[in-house]
Amino acid sequence: MKTLLAAMMVAWLGWVGAQATTIMVVPVFEPLSLHGTDGDEAISDTGEALQACVMSRPMAMTGAFPEVLVDAIRSPHLVPTNNPNYKVQEANLLVICNIGISGEMTTEGLIVRLDVAQMAIPTEIDLTARQILKLAIVALRKTLEAYQAPQTQPLAVTLVIEGADESRANLKDLGARFTVGDAPPEN
């Protein structure tokens, strides 16, 4: 009988835990292609005139923060339109070019991996691999800055470029360490 009661209690606690999921609406910044539009000269956050930009959209998220925010930067993005001539089915450059992104929280801070092993840039995307990764890094920084603003402790971030073979070895220098958020004031 005690075993049955213990099993029922464990099942009930699991059910209660599953019902207590927190959902937050947060801004997620994404590197977006402007192909198929007349926005050829948009000045990007990288300081270059590109047919691409970094924009945010609200997302209802649950899971481990800030890791899920990093993963969400690579979400599929169909831009809504009122023009039947705009036929672009995907605008997120990480999705279009098959670039992976993931975040992992460690005792030293957040490790973000940009995986370029399967990267392929379609001909209609008039950008270099370096430009696309710079846009992704801007999107990462802006997403983390929005998340970190109300936090009380700064977030140490290590950015690693993975999967860069010999032909893409120069992309590894985009890896970096930076801190997001302010240190708490000293008393």
Side-chain angles (χ1 to χ4, degrees):
M1 183 68 172
K2 287 182 182 180
T3 305
L4 177 62
L5 286 175
M8 288 174 57
M9 180 61 101
V10 168
W12 181 78
L13 288 173
W15 180 82
V16 168
Q19 301 303 314
T21 300
T22 301
I23 301 171
M24 295 175 51
V25 175
V26 294
V28 174
F29 288 80
E30 300 172 334
L32 300 177
S33 168
L34 299 177
H35 74 282
T37 72
D38 296 322
D40 294 343
E41 296 301 317
I43 302 299
S44 74
D45 292 309
T46 64
E48 302 174 80
L50 304 174
Q51 193 177 14
C53 65
V54 173
M55 290 185 157
S56 72
R57 69 172 166 167
M59 294 183 74
M61 307 283 307
T62 190
F65 284 81
E67 298 96 317
V68 295
L69 295 172
V70 173
D71 296 344
I73 294 169
R74 191 187 185 279
S75 296
H77 194 131
L78 173 63
V79 176
T81 184
N82 66 352
N83 189 319
N85 295 325
Y86 182 73
K87 307 275 188 209
V88 174
Q89 294 297 301
E90 182 57 60
N92 189 318
L93 286 164
L94 297 180
V95 174
I96 293 169
C97 300
N98 204 24
I99 299 169
I101 188 169
S102 62
E104 175 189 1
M105 203 61 171
T106 68
T107 56
E108 287 82 41
L110 180 66
I111 298 175
V112 177
R113 292 177 176 83
L114 278 169
D115 187 353
V116 298
Q118 303 299 317
M119 179 173 58
I121 303 171
T123 56
E124 68 268 15
I125 303 297
D126 189 22
L127 300 166
T128 66
R130 181 169 286 276
Q131 289 169 326
I132 294 168
L133 290 182
K134 283 183 176 181
L135 288 164
I137 293 167
V138 169
L140 170 68
R141 282 182 175 262
K142 286 185 168 203
T143 298
L144 292 176
E145 286 168 0
Y147 165 74
Q148 200 61 28
Q151 306 301 322
T152 59
Q153 296 293 319
L155 177 64
V157 180
T158 302
L159 175 66
V160 179
I161 309 299
E162 292 185 337
D165 60 14
E166 292 175 14
S167 66
R168 296 184 178 137
N170 65 328
L171 297 176
K172 288 184 180 180
D173 70 347
L174 292 172
R177 292 179 189 266
F178 56 92
T179 302
V180 179
D182 296 325
E186 294 183 25
N187 293 331

